[in-house]
Amino acid sequence: MATLIKAKYVWADGTFTIVNVDLSQKVSKYFTVGEVANQSAKDDIKYVSTPRHRKFLRMMDDMREKFGPISPSSCYRTESFNKSLKGADPKSAHLRGEALDNPIKTVTNQMRTDRRKYWEYLCIKNREIGAINLYTKGFHYEIGSDISYGASTFSVRDYRGTANDWV
């Protein structure tokens, strides 16, 4: 039996449609609604798909093709859900569905180097100001760092061993 959630699809001209979607529905080559929606949110609409979000997911599809499966712990976040998270940035790219957290049990230095370089390449290729956060046990990828933080170049933020680290 299908599990449905309410989603808002925004088109390039700014118009939108609100529909019920199945969590197993594909929203890109590899990602499903269930992987990128904010299922834990108390909000009625748990997923918003915009043209930039869809572009971001195509970029993440490229990451999946290069490095294998990516299991997101967070992608799109509703504003109220984001506010409920301790330490969550109120300007987070997650609010636009333009960020993805990917926890991994064991991360090697080579993995960090390879993923950082390839994500930077994809951001340049797609004309996006992006960033990658490095954690002891995973990665955070984003585009729109210019929108969220006024960045003008690709950013690498290393949170390993800090209070903000995923351990």
Side-chain angles (χ1 to χ4, degrees):
M1 185 167 163
T3 303
L4 302 177
I5 62 165
K6 199 168 288 254
K8 179 178 178 179
Y9 284 87
V10 181
W11 310 114
D13 66 1
T15 61
F16 64 89
T17 305
I18 297 176
V19 294
N20 288 320
V21 295
D22 188 325
L23 291 175
S24 65
Q25 178 182 321
K26 292 251 182 166
V27 289
S28 73
K29 186 174 182 179
Y30 297 109
F31 290 93
T32 64
V33 170
E35 289 179 289
V36 297
N38 194 176
Q39 295 180 59
S40 299
K42 294 179 181 173
D43 306 74
D44 189 35
I45 295 175
K46 297 182 184 310
Y47 178 60
V48 176
S49 177
T50 67
R52 284 181 53 84
H53 168 69
R54 294 186 288 275
K55 178 183 184 179
F56 173 74
L57 290 180
R58 287 190 301 273
M59 293 169 67
M60 292 307 304
D61 282 341
D62 289 343
M63 291 293 288
R64 250 187 182 172
E65 285 182 354
K66 178 89 171 164
F67 299 109
I70 292 175
S71 299
S73 63
S74 180
C75 186
Y76 171 72
R77 291 183 192 160
T78 66
E79 189 173 333
S80 63
F81 182 84
N82 195 63
K83 284 179 183 177
S84 75
L85 299 175
K86 183 181 177 188
D89 192 322
K91 298 182 285 184
S92 174
H94 285 287
L95 296 167
R96 300 184 308 274
E98 297 171 15
L100 183 144
D101 295 333
N102 176 216
I104 300 173
K105 286 183 182 180
T106 303
V107 180
T108 66
N109 285 333
Q110 190 63 55
M111 290 169 70
R112 287 184 190 92
T113 299
D114 293 347
R115 283 161 175 75
R116 179 196 56 78
K117 285 181 178 179
Y118 196 65
W119 185 245
E120 184 173 12
Y121 160 75
L122 289 175
C123 287
I124 292 167
K125 176 183 170 189
N126 287 279
R127 298 183 174 175
E128 288 292 341
I129 304 294
I132 187 170
N133 295 0
L134 307 176
Y135 296 97
T136 299
K137 294 189 177 186
F139 302 92
H140 163 94
Y141 305 95
E142 71 179 53
I143 61 171
S145 301
D146 50 333
I147 298 166
S148 298
Y149 309 109
S152 58
T153 61
F154 185 83
S155 302
V156 178
R157 299 178 285 238
D158 191 339
Y159 290 112
R160 290 175 291 160
T162 72
N164 293 323
D165 196 1
W166 297 344
V167 287

